[in-house]
């Protein structure tokens, strides 16, 4: 397994812990922190279940990064982009990561609005089709005639028509069935489907569950220049409580930075909080993810989003016919809240 570089830029945490008036969090507050100040209750959804790739949120909580930011954070498992967006918009959660491309597709089609991205988690997309050796899938064209599973709102599934068009695949010859985040790998292991929608970092977990060699078809091989997961909140919270958003973002990114530098410890923290965790696979997922958080030693600061690059992503989707004209980076990203280089 290729071990990606773990070096990530240091993210400055906002030190102010004073509570900011406004809506967006829970109606009630939590107990006091170490300094005696009342902590603001916040609900955070993971991107997709409770795999190693999302361990950084548990690390931020375990290490006290959230508490130092004046926050009492409850972490719940998400169900992909299509599940996280409505939960955040409706106030069931205040924060969660979604795939930026998936967010663009949801917003551009009118399926969702009233949310904004405030930080990048991965600097390039990790979306992929995953299978195992023996299922007859080695190239994108091999997907024709196959049966794939994923959650209905996942970015892998929603972006598939664009991926198929650019990869020369007839999307009408591929059958999709519904699945849930935590059971997809078991479905693949049982042979009920030929492949599943997955992030590339899921490779070690797939192999642990299926006991077979994983085969992945990364979307980034066909669709370049797309960001991966970004942290979102509602427009209402971003407008009414921007300082709380900055504090949360800083604490979460500090957890991400720590996790990538201490993958084994991060996996152990996840295991203490999530019973079904395979710590070896979880640590391997984090090691793979490091190359997507700070790709190629580019010097990109943790959490930053570049307007020009987002515009190029939008143009790619428009040319592929996946996105209507008129979308701009500012419609989906609050650049005033995004960490600065």
């Amino acid at each position: 397994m290729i071990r990606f570089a773990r070096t990530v830029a240091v993210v400055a945490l906002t030190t102010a812990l004073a509570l900011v008036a406004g809506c967006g969090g829970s109606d009630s507050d939590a107990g006091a922190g170490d300094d005696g100040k009342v902590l603001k209750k916040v609900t955070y959804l993971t991107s997709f279940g409770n795999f190693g790739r999302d361990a950084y949120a548990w690390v931020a909580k375990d290490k006290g990064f959230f508490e130092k930011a004046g926050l009492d954070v409850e972490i719940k498992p998400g169900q992909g982009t299509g599940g996280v967006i409505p939960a955040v918009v409706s106030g069931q959660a205040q924060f969660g990561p979604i795939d930026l491309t998936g967010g663009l597709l949801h917003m551009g089609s009118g399926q969702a609005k009233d949310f904004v991205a405030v930080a990048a988690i991965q600097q390039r997309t990790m979306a992929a089709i995953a299978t195992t050796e023996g299922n007859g899938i080695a190239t994108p064209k091999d997907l024709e005639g196959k049966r794939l599973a994923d959650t209905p709102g996942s970015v892998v599934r929603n972006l598939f028509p664009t991926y198929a068009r650019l990869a020369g695949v007839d999307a009408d010859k591929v059958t999709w069935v519904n699945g849930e985040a935590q059971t997809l790998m078991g479905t693949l292991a049982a042979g009920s489907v030929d492949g599943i929608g997955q992030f590339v970092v899921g490779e070690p977990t797939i192999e642990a569950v299926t006991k077979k060699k994983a085969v992945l078809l990364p979307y980034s091989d066909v669709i370049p220049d797309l960001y991966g997961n970004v942290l979102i909140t509602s427009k209402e919270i971003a407008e009414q409580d921007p300082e709380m958003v900055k504090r949360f973002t800083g604490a979460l990114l500090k957890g991400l930075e720590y996790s990538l530098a201490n993958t084994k410890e991060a996996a152990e923290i996840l295991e203490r909080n999530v019973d079904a965790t395979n710590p070896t696979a979880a640590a391997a997922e984090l090691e793979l993810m490091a190359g997507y958080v700070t790709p190629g030693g580019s010097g990109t600061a943790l959490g930053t989003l570049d307007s020009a690059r987002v515009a190029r992503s939008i143009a790619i989707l428009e040319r592929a016919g996946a996105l209507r004209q008129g979308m701009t980076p500012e419609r989906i990203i609050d650049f005033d809240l995004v960490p600065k280089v």
Side-chain angles (χ1 to χ4, degrees), residues 242-295:
E243 290 308 313
M244 185 274 285
V245 173
K246 291 179 181 178
R247 296 201 311 272
F248 180 90
T249 300
L252 185 71
L253 292 177
K254 189 171 182 179
L256 176 61
E257 178 186 23
Y258 189 95
S259 298
L260 298 181
N262 304 275
T263 57
K264 184 175 183 294
E265 183 184 355
E268 291 169 350
I269 290 172
L270 180 64
E271 184 182 25
R272 289 202 299 270
N273 289 280
V274 180
D275 292 338
T277 299
N278 178 323
T280 301
E285 283 202 8
L286 286 168
E287 290 170 4
L288 285 170
M289 191 170 79
Y292 290 81
V293 173
T294 52

Side-chain angles (χ1 to χ4, degrees), residues 218-242:
Y219 280 16
S220 60
D221 289 349
V222 176
I223 315 174
D225 217 16
L226 300 182
Y227 277 95
N229 277 356
V230 294
L231 177 67
I232 67 164
T233 190
S234 68
K235 284 188 177 180
E236 183 178 23
I237 293 175
E239 292 171 357
Q240 298 190 13
D241 209 346

Side-chain angles (χ1 to χ4, degrees), residues 10-238:
V10 176
V11 177
L13 280 176
T14 304
T15 57
L17 296 180
L19 293 178
V20 181
C23 62
S26 172
D27 290 336
S28 61
D29 288 323
D34 292 339
D35 59 1
K37 291 187 177 181
V38 176
L39 303 178
K40 186 176 184 65
K41 295 189 72 172
V42 169
T43 298
Y44 170 85
L45 295 180
T46 66
S47 65
F48 197 71
N50 281 316
F51 297 105
R53 71 203 72 164
D54 278 298
Y56 58 90
W58 295 106
V59 170
K61 184 170 184 175
D62 184 86
K63 291 293 179 182
F65 301 153
F66 286 137
E67 184 175 334
K68 289 178 183 177
L71 304 168
D72 175 26
V73 179
E74 181 181 12
I75 302 170
K76 295 182 178 181
Q79 287 289 325
T81 297
V84 172
I85 291 175
V88 168
V89 170
S90 67
Q92 297 174 55
Q94 285 67 58
F95 297 95
I98 67 165
D99 187 276
L100 180 58
T101 303
L104 285 167
L105 295 177
H106 276 73
M107 186 173 285
S109 66
Q111 295 179 59
K113 59 179 182 177
D114 298 329
F115 69 91
V116 290
V118 295
I121 303 299
Q122 292 115 23
Q123 292 291 324
R124 58 191 177 102
T125 184
M126 299 196 303
I129 302 296
T131 184
T132 55
E133 288 185 345
N135 283 334
I137 300 174
T139 69
K141 192 68 174 176
D142 297 330
L143 294 171
E144 294 181 358
K146 299 298 192 297
R147 182 179 168 91
L148 308 177
D150 202 351
T151 57
S154 116
V155 66
V156 176
R157 192 163 174 176
N158 286 335
L159 192 54
F160 182 75
T162 301
Y163 170 79
R165 187 179 302 112
L166 296 175
V169 176
D170 186 345
D172 292 334
K173 294 182 179 179
V174 180
T175 300
W176 285 91
V177 298
N178 294 338
E180 295 182 358
Q182 294 294 124
T183 61
L184 282 176
M185 294 184 188
T187 302
L188 179 62
S192 303
V193 294
D194 302 299
I196 58 175
Q198 190 59 228
F199 280 175
V200 293
V201 294
E203 178 182 349
T205 305
I206 290 170
E207 293 182 345
V209 172
T210 64
K211 312 302 181 186
K212 296 179 180 179
K213 178 68 175 175
V215 176
L216 288 104
L217 301 177
Y219 280 16
S220 60
D221 289 349
V222 176
I223 315 174
D225 217 16
L226 300 182
Y227 277 95
N229 277 356
V230 294
L231 177 67
I232 67 164
T233 190
S234 68
K235 284 188 177 180
E236 183 178 23
I237 293 175

